[in-house]
Amino acid sequence: MSDTHQHSIVFVRETMLPEQDPPVTERGIVKWMRQNLFSSIPNGILTLAALVAIYVLLANFLPWFLNGIWDAPSIRACREILDGGVGGCFAVLTERWNQLLFGFQYPDTEYWRPTLAFVLLFVAIAPVMFYKLFPKPMLFFTGLYPFLAYWLIWGGSIWSPIFALLGFVAGYVVWTRLVSKSFAAGFFGAIVAAFVVWTVGGYIVPALTPEETALVAVPSRDMGGFMLNMILGTVCVALSLPFGIALALGRQSDMPIIKWICVIFIEFIRGVPLITLLFVANVVLAYFLPPGTTFDLILRVIIMITMFASAYIAEVIRGGLAALPRGQYEAADSLGLDYPQAMRLIILPQALKISIPGIVNVAVGLFKDTTLVSVISMFDLVGMIRGPILASTEWNGVYWELLGFAAFLFFVVCYGISQYSQWLERQLQTDHR
């Protein structure tokens, strides 16, 4: 054995060295900046360019916002107060907030009604959106809400929404009785029962209009402002989802007639701009009605926007159905499930989970597209800005403040929808990645 190995000494430390802090570059904000902002020379250049752009934007925006005038009767008064300085004329928002939110013809004394309907909307959708947090009996209020909201916003006799509700109740009762025999019998029986109740109600309601059960009636032509955008967005999104599911299933049906009806409908609607459908709802649709027939404009617009959104949602859901492996359909067959049971219990829950991002994308786009109704002389939020407000001599020339307010309202709603969809995806995640 060599001398080196004979005289080697083995040392084993019996005590731990005192802990030392990691280097400054490997902890805290410095580490985060190195990893996310300055991980490479190109990333560092982009970070500096972004900081410069943010500085330029804030340097121009903050003085304009912080020096803004919130109390003035007109744009001329704002300019006199600013006296050549930089600042926004936000007084138009404080002076015309009611028109921006409710339109210029909705009665001032009735603002509480759409406000209450808006608050109750969150109560109604809470048990649907957060089904694990709220008891199931709250779903009864969810079913009642559309009829209550209609009565609050449009007013009139309370018996009209009551008979509308009774029609759906009668249709549901007939459905539960006949669906066990045949799906078609239950479906058409429910439709017939609902129409019978609604027809009877049409003759009874005029005789049941005591003053104590009626609110001041507000015609649809008096609806406007952001309230109109919320009505169109909420109703059309809620209606387009079930219609989109039905169209997606119909397009995959083995029955040729149903399949081709759905295919033609989807391809035609997707090939036509929404603004064209709105013009059809406003002008052309009246030519197909009997002479002297009045068809509510908001209802016509809701029908057209719902048709438009349903076609796009149908394609999104069809993509979710196509993404499912064939084994899921075979598993449903092996369990002895019929077509409605297989779709309700196995296929659609998975397809809808896959389709959540696409459905939310359509919903957000649909809500923003409600501003297109301004081109058919409906005074929604954008229509109010472009029409009565900017056309007035007091506020002619105030653009950034009004359009910025409109952008802020739409951003809040669309961002909330997006965040909820991401939360729902995390709740439905089952692969534990």
Side-chain angles (χ1 to χ4, degrees):
M1 185 178 294
S2 63
D3 294 339
T4 304
H5 287 172
Q6 289 179 357
H7 298 286
S8 61
I9 300 175
V10 178
F11 174 76
V12 178
R13 179 175 292 279
E14 297 179 355
T15 58
M16 294 292 293
L17 289 173
E19 294 184 358
Q20 297 182 357
D21 294 333
V24 177
T25 57
E26 295 298 328
R27 58 190 169 100
I29 187 64
V30 177
K31 179 183 178 182
W32 182 87
M33 293 177 64
R34 286 188 59 206
Q35 291 181 344
N36 297 279
L37 302 179
F38 300 97
S39 58
S40 63
I41 293 178
N43 287 347
I45 295 174
L46 291 175
T47 297
L48 295 176
L51 292 175
V52 171
I54 293 173
Y55 171 77
V56 172
L57 290 175
L58 292 179
N60 289 275
F61 173 75
L62 288 180
W64 177 78
F65 181 77
L66 297 177
N67 297 330
I69 306 300
W70 293 86
D71 186 11
S74 66
I75 186 175
R76 295 178 182 84
C78 285
R79 290 169 178 170
E80 291 176 1
I81 296 173
L82 289 172
D83 193 20
V86 177
C89 188
F90 299 106
V92 64
L93 303 180
T94 57
E95 288 286 324
R96 300 295 182 96
W97 65 269
N98 54 341
Q99 296 181 6
L100 292 170
L101 296 181
F102 302 104
F104 66 95
Q105 289 185 320
Y106 203 90
D108 298 354
T109 57
E110 306 297 323
Y111 285 162
W112 65 271
R113 288 160 46 181
T115 303
L116 178 60
F118 178 74
V119 173
L120 293 178
L121 172 64
F122 294 96
V123 180
I125 64 176
V128 178
M129 299 176 66
F130 307 99
Y131 55 93
K132 294 182 179 180
L133 303 179
F134 294 91
K136 289 185 177 181
M138 286 188 63
L139 291 173
F140 287 103
F141 180 76
T142 304
L144 294 175
Y145 173 77
F147 309 95
L148 176 61
Y150 172 83
W151 182 59
L152 286 173
I153 296 174
W154 273 268
S157 173
I158 195 174
W159 292 107
S160 296
I162 287 178
F163 272 95
L165 174 62
L166 290 177
F168 284 99
V169 172
Y172 177 76
V173 171
V174 173
W175 162 267
T176 55
R177 297 290 180 87
L178 299 180
V179 70
S180 57
K181 300 178 181 179
S182 170
F183 177 83
F187 179 76
F188 290 107
I191 293 178
V192 171
F195 271 100
V196 168
V197 174
W198 293 336
T199 303
V200 173
Y203 292 100
I204 296 178
V205 168
L208 300 174
T209 315
E211 294 296 330
E212 60 271 12
T213 61
L215 294 174
V216 176
V218 180
S220 294
R221 64 177 178 272
D222 293 344
M223 307 288 174
F226 192 64
M227 174 185 67
L228 181 57
N229 296 109
M230 287 296 298
I231 292 173
L232 295 177
T234 304
V235 175
C236 294
V237 169
L239 292 177
S240 61
L241 186 58
F243 282 117
I245 294 174
L247 287 171
L249 296 179
R251 184 162 188 166
Q252 290 192 331
S253 174
D254 294 330
M255 292 181 283
I257 296 178
I258 293 179
K259 178 178 180 178
W260 282 108
I261 289 175
C262 294
V263 169
I264 293 173
F265 177 86
I266 292 172
E267 297 302 330
F268 174 76
I269 295 296
R270 291 175 68 225
V272 177
L274 177 58
I275 194 170
T276 304
L277 297 177
L278 294 178
F279 276 114
V280 170
N282 186 37
V283 180
V284 181
L285 198 60
Y287 291 104
F288 296 94
L289 299 175
T293 304
T294 57
F295 197 10
D296 190 271
L297 179 58
I298 289 184
L299 181 57
R300 284 181 274 166
V301 170
I302 286 175
I303 292 173
M304 289 300 176
I305 296 179
T306 300
M307 290 169 54
F308 183 81
S310 298
Y312 282 87
I313 289 181
E315 288 299 282
V316 172
I317 295 176
R318 187 172 70 90
L321 293 170
L324 288 181
R326 184 62 190 171
Q328 297 296 319
Y329 295 87
E330 296 173 351
D333 294 337
S334 66
L335 292 174
L337 302 179
D338 57 16
Y339 180 81
Q341 292 174 331
M343 286 295 165
R344 181 171 61 89
L345 300 175
I346 296 179
I347 306 302
L348 276 181
Q350 300 181 72
L352 292 176
K353 175 186 172 183
I354 297 172
S355 305
I356 286 176
I359 294 174
V360 171
N361 184 49
V362 174
V364 170
L366 171 64
F367 182 69
K368 293 186 293 184
D369 285 344
T370 57
T371 56
L372 292 175
V373 299
S374 61
V375 302
I376 57 172
S377 302
M378 294 183 71
F379 292 102
D380 70 314
L381 180 58
V382 176
M384 286 300 304
I385 293 173
R386 295 173 54 194
I389 296 179
L390 287 178
S392 63
T393 56
E394 294 87 357
W395 304 110
N396 187 8
V398 181
Y399 294 99
W400 287 102
E401 295 84 347
L402 290 169
L403 295 177
F405 178 71
F408 173 75
L409 290 180
F410 278 96
F411 171 78
V412 169
V413 176
C414 295
Y415 182 74
I417 296 173
S418 176
Q419 289 300 304
Y420 170 75
S421 71
Q422 295 179 30
W423 175 84
L424 183 61
E425 288 183 56
R426 292 192 296 269
Q427 293 295 311
L428 298 177
Q429 187 174 348
T430 57
D431 51 6
H432 303 290
R433 288 184 296 179

